[in-house]
Structure formats: structure tokens, C-alpha cells
Amino acid sequence: MTTLLLAYDLVDPIPGDSPEAIETRRTQTEQEVREFTLAVVPDMYLNDPNLDWPPEVMMAITRATFDRVNQITGK
């Protein structure tokens, strides 16, 4: 979440005196993270909260995060 917020701030800074804009960005970014996380996590882990997520799943989420940062920043 924080990584994406920093990427957005890099390309489109929000003034610190604009709490509405900050809240909007935070909410939109939370939704974005939720969506791409659900897209990369295998269903078996989404459907069984008792399963521990293996390193491969966490690495997939990390890759998706950095892919999105690259898209945001144009890198």
C-alpha cells in the first residue's frame, strides 16, 4: 500500500493541506491493492483462511506491486 502511495506521490503530489484528496487517494489505492492481490493469489488460499501463504504467494504479490509501481511511474 505504502509503496503505491509513494509512487503516486512521485508523479502527482497532493498538497498536505488537502485531507479530502489524501483520503481519496488512500481509498483508491487500497482498492487497487485489493484487486491485484486477489488476482495473483491462488483460489485455494483465498478460500481457506486456515492455510498459510507460502513464500511464492507473497513473492507474486510483491511482483504485482512493483509491476504497478513501474506502470504508475512510467519506468
Side-chain angles (χ1 to χ4, degrees):
M1 173 81 185
T2 302
T3 304
L4 290 186
L5 287 172
L6 290 170
Y8 280 121
D9 286 345
L10 179 67
V11 297
D12 183 23
I14 295 175
D17 62 349
S18 181
E20 299 86 16
I22 293 169
E23 179 62 21
T24 298
R25 177 167 289 166
R26 186 190 62 77
T27 302
Q28 290 172 342
T29 304
E30 283 177 350
Q31 182 60 35
E32 184 176 2
V33 169
R34 185 176 302 109
E35 289 171 6
F36 74 68
T37 298
L38 292 176
V40 299
V41 174
D43 287 340
M44 67 181 277
Y45 297 104
L46 295 175
N47 297 330
D48 188 349
N50 295 315
L51 290 177
D52 289 333
W53 290 12
E56 294 81 20
V57 171
M58 300 309 295
M59 289 183 334
I61 295 168
T62 301
R63 276 190 216 97
T65 301
F66 285 116
D67 287 345
R68 184 62 187 130
V69 166
N70 288 334
Q71 292 169 354
I72 293 166
T73 61
K75 303 285 180 181

